[in-house]
Amino acid sequence: MTATATSVGEPDRTEPQTSPASRAAERLTRLAPAAAAALSGVLLYVSFPPRTLWWLAVPAFAVLGWVLRGRGWKAGLGLGYLFGLGFLLPLLVWTGVEVGPGPWLALAAIEALFVAAAGVGVAAVSRLPGAPVWAAATWVAGEAARARVPFEGFPWGKVAFGQADGVFLPLAAVGGTPVLGFAVVLCGFGLHEGVRLAVRARRGGGVRRGAAAVALLGVAVPVVGAVAAGPLVSDAAEEGTATVAVVQGNVPRAGLGFNAQRRAVLDYHARETERLAAEVKEGRAERPDFVLWPENSSDIDPFANADARAVIDRAVDAIGVPISVGGVVDRDGRLLNEQILWDPDKGPVDTYDKRQIQPFGEYLPLRSLIEAINDTWTTMVARDFSRGSEPGVFTMAGTEVGLVTCYEAAFDWAVRSEVTDGAQMISVPSNNATFDRSEMTYQQLAMSRVRAVEHSRTVTVPVTSGVSAIIMPDGRITQKTGMFVADSLVQEVPLRSTETPATRLGVVPEIALVLVAAGGIGWAVGAGVRGRRAR
């Protein structure tokens, strides 16, 4: 028996050997989808304010469509999660400005799970006829879930909120943020499908006309639809006009510590209002019909503290018109984030209590569990705010002003309820001092611009420390302040009563798109089961 030419432990030289360079190239090839998923998520982030690169959202979803096409559920989950982290980590970095990176990283990691779930769905429907439509609806379904759970949801980062400067914006008036987001995502997935089919045809492969038509329509229909929706967007006055003043008093210092000088914050807003009153008296500023102060402009309860009430009374007397004051009120054992309508003759005459309060900021979920782990949060949120239950529409000098307090602007239902309750314009009083000079204030301002078009209403944004703004019903910012300066904005604005299709339909478009997504995923799963049985 002859001996083998290869001794034990020596490599079999009959097997083909790969060079280090080829092995490195193979690893890079395997890593390419993961890197592309993460980087396309970053690209989506870059499309958001304060940048005006809204159009980058389209190639971001085109790349996501490429990395997810034909993948199994595990790959879809992982790649979707990487896309979510690439998007949400930089988008939400402001949440850690004052409390450190822990809450920021935890929030981004949890919210990215919803994107990962959407990635599974997109991968599942990617081989179906009309895949871009199913995939875009699946993305919207993921956003719908993220806007509702956990702790009543966190809609921040909806694709629609990055489109305030984009050509798709009129679609907000058609079906709100779900339809606007669907159009952008559909355009991206349609672009991927078109490029894929073009490459296949160039290589000599067959391309079905139906598939080519779907790809073309996926890109064209959102753009054509946005153009067709243009007549829904108008800044014409339907119920006359009102001259509104937005007051930004500024704060003693940025960060969580601004609350330690609550009286100073109130004094700053009163002082800026009195300065405006002097300008009006001298003829250097137009006399407003009413004045809007921001959230937390009086963190001292004016119902329980005579000195705070006196400061507000003096400011209202000086300007001589109603003021909406943002206060923190302790009433009947309930702590409330409240807007107070202060009349120059009658004092406080109406209130609106914030309904969508912020978890870990205004109340602490799972308090006993969190306290056992780390008592830092329980110190910061020593007492939970209570929720309001009714929409807030103040009648101010004959104008119906809908109140949407800060965080509420991210929630579709909270804004719509004010319009259906009769608001002729909307005010979004906010307090961004906690987040210093981060991108948070610009992201929130973009939300208000989308809401203006969605419901065809003037939107004012009074903020303690900036950026405060006046937004026309067509989404244009006509005036704005800087950050961390005392300033006031006075302008005559149009009042409107028309209800857009988005206002009338409410949640219906979102439900329809969720059902489309469910149908597509069900079809894909059923097809997969039948295929396995056939084998």
Side-chain angles (χ1 to χ4, degrees):
M1 191 174 187
T2 58
T4 61
T6 307
S7 61
V8 176
E10 185 178 342
D12 185 356
R13 303 191 185 279
T14 62
E15 294 294 326
Q17 299 298 302
T18 57
S19 67
S22 63
R23 287 196 296 272
E26 184 180 349
R27 290 194 194 97
L28 287 174
T29 300
R30 287 199 301 267
L31 290 174
L39 290 174
S40 58
V42 174
L43 196 63
L44 180 59
Y45 155 71
V46 175
S47 75
F48 271 65
R51 295 157 295 277
T52 56
L53 302 174
W54 56 270
W55 52 272
L56 287 177
V58 174
F61 281 101
V63 175
L64 181 64
W66 169 66
V67 299
L68 290 178
R69 188 176 190 279
R71 301 282 181 177
W73 73 268
K74 291 181 181 178
L77 188 71
L79 294 170
Y81 194 69
L82 288 173
F83 180 89
L85 289 178
F87 171 47
L88 293 169
L89 276 172
L91 186 81
L92 302 178
V93 67
W94 52 266
T95 60
V97 167
E98 292 297 328
V99 294
W104 159 50
L105 295 173
L107 178 62
I110 292 169
E111 295 300 311
L113 291 172
F114 292 91
V115 183
V120 174
V122 171
V125 302
S126 63
R127 292 189 183 276
L128 295 179
V133 176
W134 305 112
T138 299
W139 179 270
V140 173
E143 286 191 336
R146 192 160 68 85
R148 290 167 173 81
V149 292
F151 312 125
E152 298 193 344
F154 187 71
W156 212 281
K158 275 189 170 185
V159 169
F161 294 147
Q163 296 297 308
D165 291 293
V167 299
F168 300 106
L169 182 59
L171 289 169
V174 176
T177 58
V179 168
L180 175 54
F182 174 77
V184 175
V185 179
L186 175 60
C187 199
F189 286 144
L191 176 62
H192 157 253
E193 187 71 359
V195 171
R196 185 184 71 82
L197 294 175
V199 170
R200 181 175 177 177
R202 187 176 180 84
R203 292 175 176 173
V207 175
R208 295 193 303 274
R209 289 184 180 180
V214 167
L216 177 62
L217 290 172
V219 176
V221 167
V223 177
V224 173
V227 173
L232 295 173
V233 181
S234 172
D235 64 354
E238 296 176 328
E239 302 292 328
T241 63
T243 300
V244 58
V246 170
V247 167
Q248 175 177 301
N250 204 9
V251 298
R253 59 175 177 266
L256 294 173
F258 88 94
N259 275 316
Q261 299 185 39
R262 295 178 296 167
R263 174 57 188 269
V265 176
L266 173 57
D267 287 344
Y268 284 10
H269 284 82
R271 184 186 307 160
E272 179 60 25
T273 303
E274 290 163 2
R275 187 195 66 78
L276 174 61
E279 288 194 347
V280 170
K281 186 175 181 179
E282 295 166 5
R284 292 186 290 116
E286 188 176 0
R287 180 182 175 84
D289 296 315
F290 52 88
V291 177
L292 301 166
W293 282 10
E295 177 188 34
N296 298 130
S297 46
S298 179
D299 267 1
I300 301 174
D301 184 349
F303 297 107
N305 295 272
D307 60 335
R309 182 171 186 137
V311 170
I312 297 170
D313 278 335
R314 284 197 300 270
V316 175
D317 289 343
I319 197 69
V321 298
I323 298 180
S324 177
V325 177
V328 173
V329 173
D330 193 337
R331 182 181 295 116
D332 301 326
R334 301 172 70 226
L335 191 63
L336 301 166
N337 186 336
E338 188 165 83
Q339 290 293 309
I340 308 164
L341 175 54
W342 213 284
D343 185 84
D345 298 319
K346 302 176 183 178
V349 294
D350 200 358
T351 60
Y352 166 64
D353 300 324
K354 187 176 182 181
R355 293 170 292 168
Q356 188 69 48
I357 57 177
Q358 183 182 353
F360 302 100
E362 293 173 306
Y363 78 100
L364 197 60
L366 311 174
R367 180 177 289 273
S368 58
L369 175 62
I370 291 172
E371 186 173 18
I373 298 172
N374 188 332
D375 62 1
T376 301
W377 278 111
T378 56
T379 302
M380 290 172 55
V381 190
R383 185 178 172 192
D384 292 342
F385 279 80
S386 296
R387 305 172 189 275
S389 58
E390 299 294 331
V393 179
F394 287 170
T395 302
M396 305 184 73
T399 297
E400 301 298 311
V401 181
L403 284 304
V404 180
T405 305
C406 196
Y407 184 60
E408 292 182 320
F411 293 82
D412 295 347
W413 67 268
V415 185
R416 177 178 179 266
S417 67
E418 312 303 71
V419 179
T420 57
D421 204 46
Q424 297 168 308
M425 62 168 286
I426 298 168
S427 182
V428 184
S430 302
N431 173 25
N432 298 340
T434 304
F435 305 107
D436 204 349
R437 297 181 181 272
S438 69
E439 293 184 356
M440 181 271 184
T441 191
Y442 301 102
Q443 294 170 9
Q444 189 178 53
L445 187 59
M447 290 180 195
S448 295
R449 295 178 63 191
V450 172
R451 299 306 186 190
V453 173
E454 181 179 10
H455 298 292
S456 195
R457 295 292 187 273
T458 296
V459 177
T460 58
V461 186
V463 185
T464 50
S465 57
V467 175
S468 299
I470 296 175
I471 305 166
M472 291 293 98
D474 60 5
R476 288 179 299 117
I477 296 176
T478 52
Q479 290 192 64
K480 65 179 180 179
T481 69
M483 294 184 74
F484 294 100
V485 295
D487 203 353
S488 53
L489 309 173
V490 182
Q491 184 175 321
E492 184 180 13
V493 300
L495 305 177
R496 293 178 60 83
S497 58
T498 293
E499 289 193 353
T500 64
T503 306
R504 292 192 297 270
L505 290 170
V507 76
V508 171
E510 186 175 54
I511 292 173
L513 289 169
V514 169
L515 291 175
V516 169
I521 293 171
W523 182 7
V525 170
V529 170
R530 289 191 295 272
R532 286 193 295 271
R533 286 175 179 173
R535 290 196 298 270

